[in-house]
Amino acid sequence: MTDSEPDRAAHRRTPAGAEDQARALQLVHGYMASQVVGTAARLNIAAALADSPRSCAELAAATGTDQDALRRLLRALEILGLVERPGRTGLFALTSFGQVLRSDADAPVRALADLFTSPAVWRPWGELQHSVRTGGTAFESVFGMPAFAHIGRQPELSALFNEAMAETAQGAAEVVAAGYDFSRFPTVVDVGGGNGTLLAALLTAHPGSRGVLLDTPTGVREADKVLAEAGVADRCAITTGDFFTAVPAGGDAYVLKSVIHDWDDDLARAVLQRCREAMPDHAKLLLVEPVLPDENGPAAELSVVLSDLNMLVMAGGRERTEAEYAALLDSAGLELAGVGGPLKPTHFQILEAVPH
């Protein structure tokens, strides 16, 4: 017996039984629950139930669906906790949890559920094995071009993508604004900030600051409305452009939320270099991203690990450890100065970098 054999023997386990099989099947069937939620989002069932409980027949008429099939979908939504039958009547209502499927919720997921269960995400995830075998992006193998190029050519998909990204920002905006002292920055530049949801929250929380929003023309399409509704439009300039080419100069803080993880190291470095070129020496760069633990650290959260795989499948990017962020920033002329703790209930952390 070799030295390693006792260790291996110690780690042998009794073969999996029925309980383990049932637990595994819950994971295997997980995609079915995802499609239940995605279908509810596409049918806009939450909007149909926004004002009052309704019968299945009324919902079928409102959503243009087959009544029997809809009843079966509603049964699954009830088990998932998104709808309920008050008093066990024949009427259906949204639960407090189900309110997240309303577009006007404080932190909605309607567009996110639609996007992540749509063919644009569903089909590449079906080719996860391709990405694991090759290291390549499954999206390109399915659609023949990078994800952002494909999305840009599909107006409806582009609108859905931008709405979903706005929902992500909406859920995290107030948490990020409260989790870091932005008040010390006279001018905050939000690089790749979409419709301005995050920047609006930052400026609302810190009325002494001004903002600059940078994104593509499609990305900022709703920004005027978002900033005006937040009452900060007079303190914010909207700039369209490509962050691979140039970033507005002269800011005191440069915020990039969920930007760097979209890209491989070479493209991420290019974005960071454009930021460094635009930054005065006193400025700070703030990345709002999940941070993977080091290999010898604690177990990563499932949401972060799945996000990392999503970047592999969809865009060729990745989630990174603190050491990987430090090396990436260093290669772009920046030094990692600190990493804040998780901004609960999100999985985001704020990484602060300064010029070399």
Side-chain angles (χ1 to χ4, degrees):
M1 180 178 286
T2 66
D3 291 341
S4 63
E5 285 177 348
D7 291 336
R8 290 175 182 169
H11 285 85
R12 290 184 186 133
R13 295 289 184 268
T14 302
E19 289 185 4
D20 296 308
Q21 182 190 53
R23 180 183 176 192
L25 285 174
Q26 283 188 316
L27 299 177
V28 172
H29 294 158
Y31 75 93
M32 298 180 187
S34 299
Q35 283 293 352
V36 167
V37 178
T39 299
R42 279 184 285 279
L43 294 174
N44 225 350
I45 288 174
L49 291 174
D51 295 329
S52 63
R54 304 177 79 173
S55 69
C56 184
E58 291 172 325
L59 285 172
T63 58
T65 55
D66 178 83
Q67 184 175 334
D68 179 65
L70 180 61
R71 185 181 301 278
R72 295 160 76 175
L73 180 74
L74 290 167
R75 183 163 54 202
L77 290 168
E78 186 176 7
I79 296 298
L80 293 172
L82 294 160
V83 303
E84 61 186 353
R85 286 175 290 160
R88 309 305 294 174
T89 65
L91 300 180
F92 291 88
L94 286 178
T95 63
S96 58
F97 175 42
Q99 299 288 334
V100 298
L101 290 179
R102 293 179 56 171
S103 295
D104 59 353
D106 289 339
V109 297
R110 193 210 64 80
L112 284 162
D114 188 347
L115 176 66
F116 276 85
T117 60
S118 73
V121 179
W122 187 257
R123 289 180 59 195
W125 262 94
E127 299 298 326
L128 174 61
Q129 180 175 292
H130 167 83
S131 288
V132 174
R133 285 191 180 278
T134 67
T137 304
F139 190 99
E140 293 189 39
S141 75
V142 172
F143 291 103
M145 66 182 71
F148 290 109
H150 177 78
I151 291 169
R153 296 185 181 190
Q154 309 288 329
E156 289 187 7
L157 178 59
S158 179
L160 176 61
F161 176 83
N162 287 322
E163 184 182 355
M165 294 306 99
E167 286 185 351
T168 300
Q170 191 171 337
E174 291 185 6
V175 177
V176 173
Y180 185 88
D181 181 15
F182 290 90
S183 64
R184 51 196 167 125
F185 303 122
T187 301
V188 178
V189 182
D190 190 352
V191 179
N195 71 355
T197 295
L198 175 61
L199 189 55
L202 299 183
L203 297 181
T204 298
H206 306 286
S209 299
R210 301 186 64 83
V212 178
L213 177 66
L214 170 69
D215 212 309
T216 64
T218 302
V220 302
R221 184 175 295 159
E222 299 293 324
D224 282 325
K225 176 183 176 183
V226 170
L227 295 169
E229 288 179 350
V232 299
D234 61 334
R235 292 191 283 129
C236 189
I238 300 172
T239 304
T240 59
D242 179 357
F243 51 43
F244 289 113
T245 303
V247 170
D252 302 293
Y254 286 75
V255 178
L256 296 91
K257 178 193 170 295
S258 302
V259 171
I260 296 304
H261 79 159
D262 282 338
W263 310 102
D264 63 25
D265 284 354
D266 289 340
L267 291 172
R269 183 180 301 109
V271 177
L272 294 172
Q273 286 173 334
R274 300 296 83 76
C275 291
R276 175 61 188 97
E277 291 163 3
M279 293 170 64
D281 288 341
H282 72 271
K284 296 185 184 296
L285 182 138
L286 305 169
L287 303 181
V288 184
E289 300 276 7
V291 180
L292 283 167
D294 293 329
E295 288 297 324
N296 296 325
E301 291 189 20
L302 178 61
S303 61
V304 180
V305 172
L306 293 179
S307 179
D308 181 50
L309 286 174
N310 192 51
M311 293 302 104
L312 170 66
V313 166
M314 294 295 294
R318 64 191 310 132
E319 305 298 353
R320 295 174 171 88
T321 65
E322 181 177 331
E324 288 170 336
Y325 272 116
L328 181 63
L329 289 161
D330 181 69
S331 70
L334 295 155
E335 178 183 353
L336 182 61
V339 181
L343 299 171
K344 299 294 185 180
T346 77
H347 55 233
F348 293 112
Q349 295 177 241
I350 296 179
L351 300 96
E352 181 182 288
V354 296
H356 275 322

